[in-house]
Amino acid sequence: GAYNPRYSGVLERAFSLRKAHSIKDMENTLQLVRNIIPPLSSTKHKGQDGRIGVVGGCQEYTGAPYFAAISALKVGADLSHVFCASAAAPVIKAYSPELIVHPVLDSPNAVREVEKWLPRLHALVVGPGLGRDDALLRNVQGILEASKARDIPVVIDADGLWLVAQQPALIHGYRKAVLTPNHMEFSRLYDAVLRGPMDSDDSHGSVLRLSQALGNVTVVQKGERDILSNGQQVLVCSQEGSSRRCGGQGDLLSGSLGVLVHWALLAGPEKTNGSSPLLVAAFGACSLTRQCNHQAFQKHGRSTTTSDMIAEVGAAFSKLFET
Ligand SMILES: NC(=O)C1=CN([C@@H]2O[C@H](COP(=O)(O)OP(=O)(O)OC[C@H]3O[C@@H](n4cnc5c(N)ncnc54)[C@H](O)[C@@H]3O)[C@@H](O)[C@H]2O)[C@@H](O)CC1
Ligand SMILES: Nc1ncnc2c1ncn2[C@@H]1O[C@H](COP(=O)(O)OP(=O)(O)OP(=O)(O)O)[C@@H](O)[C@H]1O
Ligand SMILES: [Mg+2]
């Protein structure tokens, strides 16, 4: 119908009410994120605030696992490991002396090599820069199975999601899994699991249904607004970011989520007021990534890159969570 100016005031008021409501929801959820953050203390030993592993990195992609692993450290983990293909290891080591890099993913003993470390890890981030080589993916399948057997929380991103789309049974029903698909990865997963195209006009419903169909694993659909669900609750994160979409922002998100998932599970549901700890952790990682993007864009504009965003992690974290 034609635009009727008589209604515009009503619509505007309804819109601003909805916006005010969602700002209040966001603030309430941010408070839950604050509750799960462990206090800094001089009596802690190295490792207590998190030992995180990133599984990814191959001949082509060395940036993605680096971004994920360094972000985990910058958010507050004490130790960050990368398990990558042998060709990627010297490159990642050269980016940073702060990461522990294991060139094992293309070894015939890959699963055993990673399994040795699992008792010492609090969470795994699987997929950044993994690539889609069949032999690597088979090894990662074994690593995922070993992690589940030990009840280690896993964040699955990028090519880890490619693997899950081929074999949803790998993570079906695993309550300590969080998936962080971008637009493409989400539709690929949705097609594979629900055997039909998603309804793009109902993103809440699509995220909810995908989570349910995967046995209530937590799903984070990244986009203009991030939509998060554990099959019961749906949260929306619309923290202001920017219009700059350089590659690697998703890796910052999955790496920081690795730490936050560990903190949230340690804190437990009392600290999250009955909400799912994984959902609260995911909301924290989305808000943080978007705030980093916002701050970096204010300084660098169109030339903003993921490294500029990582330089903002400390200030963004304080602004959101230490107010
Ligand atoms: N520096 C690096 O090493 C980086 C490596 N990366 C790795 O690259 C590999 C492939 O990741 P991709 O994310 O490209 O995955 P895909 O190969 O599934 O492709 C995603 C595609 O979807 C497109 N797309 C994204 N958002 C869209 C939207 N809203 N609507 C329509 N199209 C959209 C993108 O342009 C991209 O071509 C992964 O291993 C990933 O970790 C990325 O993380 C980026 C940084
Ligand atoms: N249109 C948008 N406006 C604001 N923020 C966005 C937009 N699209 C994505 N983001 C944010 O950017 C971050 C990464 O999402 P994105 O969809 O770029 O992931 P990705 O494709 O996996 O990235 P990567 O290049 O690291 O693989 C998320 O925090 C998300 O909230
Ligand atoms: Mg990605």
Side-chain angles (χ1 to χ4, degrees), residues 64 67 157-158 180-183 185 221-226 237 239-253 285-290 293 306 309:
F67 290 143
D157 188 30
T180 55
N182 63 20
H183 181 84
E185 290 154 350
Q221 184 194 55
K222 297 175 292 190
E224 190 173 353
R225 303 179 316 146
D226 298 327
C237 179
Q239 183 73 37
E240 188 180 359
S242 81
S243 43
R244 176 71 172 128
R245 300 268 67 79
C246 55
Q249 303 185 23
D251 308 314
L252 196 168
L253 193 158
C286 291
S287 312
L288 181 70
T289 306
R290 298 170 72 103
N293 181 256
T306 297
M309 288 172 56

Side-chain angles (χ1 to χ4, degrees), residues 72-300:
L73 276 181
K74 292 280 182 188
V75 166
D78 292 337
L79 292 164
S80 198
H81 294 253
V82 177
F83 301 93
C84 59
S86 47
V91 183
I92 299 171
K93 286 176 201 268
Y95 293 150
S96 167
E98 285 154 324
L99 305 178
I100 302 162
V101 185
H102 309 264
V104 297
L105 269 196
D106 52 346
S107 132
N109 303 324
V111 180
R112 244 181 306 144
E113 292 290 334
V114 178
E115 230 174 346
K116 281 200 299 214
W117 286 92
L118 289 183
R120 283 180 265 180
L121 296 177
H122 295 118
L124 277 190
V125 180
V126 177
L130 179 61
R132 294 175 190 170
D133 176 78
D134 282 333
L136 283 194
L137 292 179
R138 263 196 305 280
N139 289 338
V140 172
Q141 176 183 339
I143 294 165
L144 273 175
E145 280 160 354
S147 308
K148 275 199 307 190
R150 292 181 176 274
D151 216 28
I152 294 173
V154 291
V155 175
I156 305 184
D157 188 30
D159 301 314
L161 296 168
W162 172 265
L163 176 63
V164 169
Q166 320 291 309
Q167 280 171 269
L170 251 183
I171 51 100
H172 187 277
Y174 188 48
R175 293 300 179 100
K176 291 192 178 173
V178 187
L179 314 188
T180 55
N182 63 20
H183 181 84
M184 276 291 277
E185 290 154 350
F186 185 89
S187 53
R188 202 183 288 133
L189 266 176
Y190 194 97
D191 277 354
V193 174
L194 287 137
R195 299 182 183 288
M198 62 193 228
D199 175 3
S200 45
D201 292 333
D202 178 19
S203 41
H204 282 229
S206 300
V207 179
L208 188 75
R209 275 190 294 280
L210 179 61
S211 171
Q212 286 169 351
L214 287 169
N216 292 88
V217 305
T218 301
V219 177
V220 177
Q221 184 194 55
K222 297 175 292 190
E224 190 173 353
R225 303 179 316 146
D226 298 327
I227 300 174
L228 296 63
S229 180
N230 62 348
Q232 292 170 326
Q233 219 182 330
V234 179
L235 297 181
V236 178
C237 179
S238 50
Q239 183 73 37
E240 188 180 359
S242 81
S243 43
R244 176 71 172 128
R245 300 268 67 79
C246 55
Q249 303 185 23
D251 308 314
L252 196 168
L253 193 158
S254 59
S256 34
L257 183 50
V259 191
L260 286 165
V261 159
H262 165 56
W263 289 351
L265 289 169
L266 210 60
E270 309 85 68
K271 291 284 178 73
T272 55
N273 203 15
S275 279
S276 142
L278 294 193
L279 216 46
V280 170
F283 188 89
C286 291
S287 312
L288 181 70
T289 306
R290 298 170 72 103
Q291 179 66 24
C292 288
N293 181 256
H294 181 71
Q295 290 179 196
F297 187 79
Q298 289 195 318
K299 294 186 187 165
H300 306 282

